[in-house]
Amino acid sequence: MSDIHNDMEAQMEHIRHSRDVVHRHSPGVGKILDLAVNYVYDAEKANREGREVVWTVGLSECPLFYACGAVPLAFTELGRLGSAQAMSVAEGLFQIPRETCSMVKIIIGEYFLRRDATVKRLYYRSGSCEPFNIAFELIKKYGFDTRVTDTGFKPDDISQERYDNLTEYYKRQVRDTALWISGRPLDEERLSVEMKRYNRAIRKARTIMNLRRRHATYIKSLPAMFVLLGSSHFYGKPEEYEDALDLIIEEMSALREGEYDDEVVRLVWTGARGQEFGVYEAIDDAGGGVLGWCIPNTFEAGFDESKPPLDAFVEFQIGGKNSGTTSQACLVVENQIKKSDAVGIIMYGYVGCSFGSIDVELKREYFRKRNIPSISIDGTFQVGPPTGQLVTRVRAFVEMLS
């Protein structure tokens, strides 16, 4: 790893270095990283100026928020903005056990530390992580208006009658959530418009990922992740996000055959979205490149526009289109391996996440039987560089495959 990376402590420094130094050749990537850098601050400012803004997971539920006239603000962004105090607040003030997932502790700690300056409304779908259900209860006493709804997955052998009951239950939850967001009934016509915009954005993101497979070094691993992160919430600025995607597509479509096509060890990333940005740079510096992704930000599946809007929205939420069960995720990873000609898999989870550790073990066994090399990484969610041991393991894995 180069010295400049060793000197960078905070995630924001990695983003700015990627934008201002590594990707000076790409105005489109610069715009994506600008949106990422300013996302939380601009949303908080909009909220202070009277715009409705709600913290949320930042995934496929976002069209509902835009349909209700609100800006979805993804709480996963708190990790890279966080302070070192957040963990102490979680374990000290809230008495969250030390062995609990670092993501849960950091986010709860950050909400407490930012309680007088940030957005005070928070929506959460319980299907993403059960401990958050309890953790978000802890911050209500500090003035946060929280709403948690259930999310499940459709079993393969479900009966039609049970499925109909399931979808009707979730439709009621969506209608109630719309009322909670805006104080008005759900406008299904506007939801349809927003779902079409979501579909259009992920098609553009998918086009960029396909172009990266022909020009693997034009966009490095870290900003590629930021392209995908924005495909759900658009960093609060849908038009600017789409413009940035269009610009990247224009830039990459103009590249000549073989340009930015240096040989790299092609990898697929699966699991959580890493907050220790030095890991991505360690991969790139070692001669690797993440060219396939299976993270919660789905970009291979969209809403079914042929169905009534609410039906399509609910079916997508309970369908586990990308990151649902481990068996479904393994199929997505396999698909990404084929598309990317990948030779190895990075499996990333957060320290203390019991769900993630089981998910990784099941995936490792699945791909071990198929003779596809993988490495599992336990990362942390708070600010700061990755450990030297973690970076060494990543570099050794990439070099082994080269």
Side-chain angles (χ1 to χ4, degrees):
M1 185 180 286
S2 61
D3 290 340
I4 184 72
H5 295 157
N6 285 329
D7 292 340
M8 288 190 285
E9 295 287 324
Q11 282 86 336
M12 295 296 276
E13 293 176 50
H14 284 280
I15 297 175
R16 293 190 179 104
H17 177 73
S18 181
R19 179 192 61 190
D20 301 336
V21 179
V22 180
H23 294 89
R24 277 183 299 186
H25 59 275
S26 173
V29 169
K31 287 181 182 294
I32 288 289
L33 295 178
D34 277 341
L35 288 170
V37 166
N38 297 318
Y39 179 27
V40 172
Y41 305 117
D42 286 352
E44 289 177 330
K45 180 171 181 251
N47 189 243
R48 288 194 296 272
E49 294 172 348
R51 181 91 188 267
E52 191 64 62
V53 181
V54 182
W55 288 103
T56 182
V57 184
L59 298 173
S60 57
E61 79 284 359
C62 290
L64 176 63
F65 287 81
Y66 283 116
C68 293
V71 175
L73 180 52
F75 63 70
T76 51
E77 297 296 312
L78 282 174
R80 63 180 171 78
L81 295 177
S83 72
Q85 288 181 278
M87 186 70 83
S88 300
V89 169
E91 294 180 355
L93 178 66
F94 292 114
Q95 292 291 293
I96 297 178
R98 182 179 295 273
E99 61 271 22
T100 302
C101 170
S102 62
M103 180 179 182
V104 174
K105 289 190 288 187
I106 289 297
I107 287 178
I108 292 302
E110 278 303 317
Y111 276 133
F112 175 80
L113 293 172
R114 301 166 74 90
R115 64 193 183 282
D116 295 326
T118 194
V119 174
K120 300 295 279 288
R121 304 192 77 200
L122 190 155
Y123 169 77
Y124 180 64
R125 292 185 300 154
S126 63
S128 300
C129 174
E130 289 296 330
F132 272 127
N133 295 3
I134 301 170
F136 288 147
E137 289 292 317
L138 299 175
I139 59 172
K140 283 184 175 178
K141 66 188 291 186
Y142 296 101
F144 285 85
D145 176 14
T146 64
R147 174 176 172 77
V148 178
T149 62
D150 292 330
T151 302
F153 297 111
K154 184 184 74 173
D156 292 336
D157 58 351
I158 191 171
S159 68
Q160 187 60 49
E161 180 183 6
R162 187 180 172 199
Y163 180 65
D164 290 343
N165 289 335
L166 187 67
T167 54
E168 284 306 314
Y169 172 74
Y170 285 118
K171 284 181 187 177
R172 287 196 298 275
Q173 286 200 124
V174 173
R175 292 191 186 99
D176 290 346
T177 300
L179 205 55
W180 175 79
I181 295 170
S182 66
R184 299 185 298 275
L186 174 65
D187 182 339
E188 291 197 40
E189 187 174 336
R190 191 165 175 191
L191 179 62
S192 174
V193 170
E194 294 300 336
M195 288 195 297
K196 287 176 181 176
R197 173 153 60 183
Y198 176 98
N199 283 351
R200 189 169 63 241
I202 64 168
R203 284 196 296 271
K204 292 177 181 180
R206 194 158 58 232
T207 297
I208 292 171
M209 295 304 132
N210 289 335
L211 286 166
R212 284 190 74 226
R213 289 160 188 154
R214 299 210 306 268
H215 307 283
T217 53
Y218 190 79
I219 304 177
K220 301 285 189 177
S221 302
L222 178 62
M225 183 185 71
F226 276 106
V227 168
L228 296 178
L229 289 183
S231 63
S232 301
H233 49 63
F234 313 138
Y235 298 108
K237 299 174 182 176
E239 292 80 11
E240 292 184 36
Y241 174 73
E242 279 203 75
D243 288 346
L245 296 185
D246 289 338
L247 186 53
I248 295 174
I249 292 171
E250 183 181 335
E251 292 170 13
M252 298 190 74
S253 298
L255 296 174
R256 297 185 300 276
E257 198 65 35
E259 205 171 1
Y260 287 95
D261 192 23
D262 304 300
E263 186 173 340
V264 297
V265 176
R266 293 172 177 248
L267 301 167
V268 171
W269 182 290
T270 182
R273 296 150 292 191
Q275 293 289 329
E276 297 156 305
F277 294 163
V279 173
Y280 297 100
E281 282 156 354
I283 292 171
D284 293 334
D285 287 352
V290 179
L291 296 177
W293 299 85
C294 179
I295 56 178
N297 297 83
T298 308
F299 68 100
E300 292 286 2
F303 296 102
D304 187 343
E305 297 179 17
S306 70
K307 294 186 174 179
L310 187 53
D311 287 7
F313 185 80
V314 167
E315 286 183 16
F316 191 92
Q317 304 302 315
I318 66 176
K321 295 292 184 182
N322 187 344
S323 60
T325 62
T326 299
S327 59
Q328 288 172 315
C330 285
L331 297 178
V332 176
V333 173
E334 275 192 307
N335 186 42
Q336 290 292 299
I337 289 172
K338 289 176 184 173
K339 284 186 173 181
S340 308
D341 293 324
V343 295
I345 307 169
I346 304 277
M347 299 180 181
Y348 188 94
Y350 298 126
V351 172
C353 176
S354 54
F355 166 78
S357 61
I358 295 171
D359 180 63
V360 164
E361 286 307 311
L362 292 172
K363 285 177 180 172
R364 280 172 64 88
E365 179 65 11
Y366 182 92
F367 288 105
R368 186 188 63 77
K369 290 178 179 175
R370 287 156 181 78
N371 295 317
I372 299 173
S374 65
I375 182 175
S376 60
I377 299 173
D378 286 328
T380 56
F381 201 75
Q382 65 265 40
V383 294
T387 64
Q389 182 186 37
L390 191 152
V391 170
T392 300
R393 287 184 64 221
V394 168
R395 289 172 65 90
F397 180 67
V398 175
E399 289 166 3
M400 179 191 76
L401 297 175
S402 62

